Amino acid sequence: MWNVLLSFSGLVALIQLLFLPFFPESPPYLLLQKGDKAGCLKAMKQLWGEGNYHTEFDDMMKEKAVTKGTKIMNVLEVLKEPSVYPQLSTMLLLLLSLQLCGLSATANLQESIIPYVSLGVAISELISIIFCSSIIDRFGRRILLWGGYLLMALILVLLETSLLLSDQFLWMRYCSVILIFLFIIAYGIGP
C-alpha cells in the first residue's frame, strides 16, 4: 500500500498548492527584503484582520535599521560562522532523520543497492540546502513554496506511475530512485 501512502502526501501538497495563492507574502519579507511599506501593511491586515499594527510595523522598521549595514552572507560564509553551528547541527539532524522515513523502500530495489540510495538521498538533501539558501533571497519564500509544491506533486505522479510499471519494466525501478532524489530536492527547496 505504498502507493496509497505516497498519493496521500501528494494530495496534501496539491491542496496546499491550490490555497497558497490566496495568502499574502510575509510582512517582514515585504518590508525587510523588498522595502515595500504599503505591501507590508496590506499583508498585515490580510493576515491579522483590521487593527492598528503600528507597533509591529515600528519593530520591523527598527529591525530594518539595525540590519541595514549587515552583510548578507553566502552559504560558505555561513558554514564558517561559529555562531550558527547549533542551528546548523539541528537542521542537519532533522534532514538526516529523513533517511528513516522509508521513501527509499518504495523503489522496490535489491537490498544491496539500498545503501547507495540512502547516500543519494543525503546528497540530494545537501544539494537542496545549498541551492535553496542561495536563491531564497532572490525569489522569496512564496515562489519557492509554489515551485516546490508544484514540483513535488508532479514528481509524485511520475513516481506513482514508475512504481506501477516497475514490475513490467525493471529499469523503471531506477527511474523511481531518481524521482525520489528529485522529490527530496524539491521538498528541500520549497516546503
Side-chain angles (χ1 to χ4, degrees), residues 59-93:
D59 288 342
M60 283 190 266
M61 288 299 290
K62 288 176 188 174
E63 182 181 347
K64 183 177 182 178
V66 168
T67 60
K68 188 173 188 175
T70 306
K71 179 187 171 207
I72 296 176
M73 298 176 7
N74 64 27
V75 177
L76 292 176
E77 292 170 336
V78 170
L79 291 175
K80 292 177 184 176
E81 181 63 38
S83 65
V84 297
Y85 287 166
Q87 295 91 338
L88 285 174
S89 301
T90 303
M91 184 177 65
L92 285 174
L93 181 66

Side-chain angles (χ1 to χ4, degrees), residues 102-118:
L103 194 57
S104 302
T106 62
N108 197 15
L109 295 170
Q110 300 168 355
E111 279 190 45
S112 61
I113 299 175
I114 296 293
Y116 299 109
V117 173
S118 295

